[in-house]
Amino acid sequence: DTGVSQDPRHKITKRGQNVTFRCDPISEHNRLYWYRQTLGQGPEFLTYFQNEAQLEKSRLLSDRFSAERPKGSFSTLEIQRTEQGDSAMYLCASSSGHRVVYEQYFGPGTRLTVT
Amino acid sequence: AQTVTQSQPEMSVQEAETVTLSCTYDTSESDYYLFWYKQPPSRQMILVIRQEAYKQQNATENRFSVNFQKAAKSFSLKISDSQLGDAAMYFCAFDQGGSEKLVFGKGTKLTVNP
């Protein structure tokens, strides 16, 4: 297993367009997380899934944002009607859910630029 | 709400020397985890070290160790024998037990001088 992967790595879009990002977690991990990181800041939690169930959403996740994990494997994050303030790095992470060795493994991120 | 504060935006160290990065956090909970993550330039974030709040013994991972002061809500990272490859952004993160969401500080940029 090569770790958490994300696609695309970079996305440039015009304001008002919709974008979708994909995250493939480590294969045996049942928990998947999305974070957003803006320049000069640490990552901020957006949402997380246990298998296909979305268990928590941050208030940062406005109604223009939607995330899915339809079969409990890969996940998608969609942003509708993008705004310049959406420009950020979107990070995905996964974990096995075992508290004894609890660790979130991060992907390389998708850098979104809204022009 | 839990908060994590890293008061040093930037730090520098000479190769082979020791450096300590500071982190404080605020919580009213007793069950939680603390982490230090490393984010090299244009590369993904990786876990450096983890500390469970119920453990009194400070965690160590090779050249990396922490000084966990639960009463003071302080969690500093010590890097010994610094190497050029240690240059990166370092983020302190907090996870209230069972919350499944990490709260990060703003990070400390570490430069290692040859």
Side-chain angles (χ1 to χ4, degrees), chain A residues 98-114:
Chain A
H98 297 148
R99 300 304 289 182
V100 176
V101 288
Y102 174 47
E103 176 179 348
Q104 292 188 21
Y105 293 79
F106 282 82
T110 294
R111 181 169 295 283
L112 173 66
T113 302
V114 181

Side-chain angles (χ1 to χ4, degrees), chain B residues 80-98:
Chain B
S80 303
D81 186 26
S82 297
Q83 300 176 359
L84 295 178
D86 294 333
M89 284 293 291
Y90 285 82
F91 292 97
C92 178
F94 168 95
D95 178 14
Q96 177 189 326

Side-chain angles (χ1 to χ4, degrees), chain B residues 36-89:
Chain B
W36 279 98
Y37 276 89
K38 171 185 177 182
Q39 190 176 41
S42 301
R43 293 180 61 187
Q44 63 203 78
M45 197 170 306
I46 57 173
L47 180 67
V48 174
I49 199 164
R50 171 183 56 236
Q51 175 79 43
E52 292 88 339
Y54 66 86
K55 290 186 176 179
Q56 293 186 339
Q57 186 172 6
N58 289 325
T60 62
E61 287 289 342
N62 301 314
R63 298 183 294 107
F64 299 87
S65 62
V66 299
N67 183 4
F68 174 46
Q69 301 289 328
K70 190 171 184 179
K73 297 180 183 176
S74 170
F75 183 62
S76 60
L77 174 70
K78 186 171 82 171
I79 306 174
S80 303
D81 186 26
S82 297
Q83 300 176 359
L84 295 178
D86 294 333
M89 284 293 291

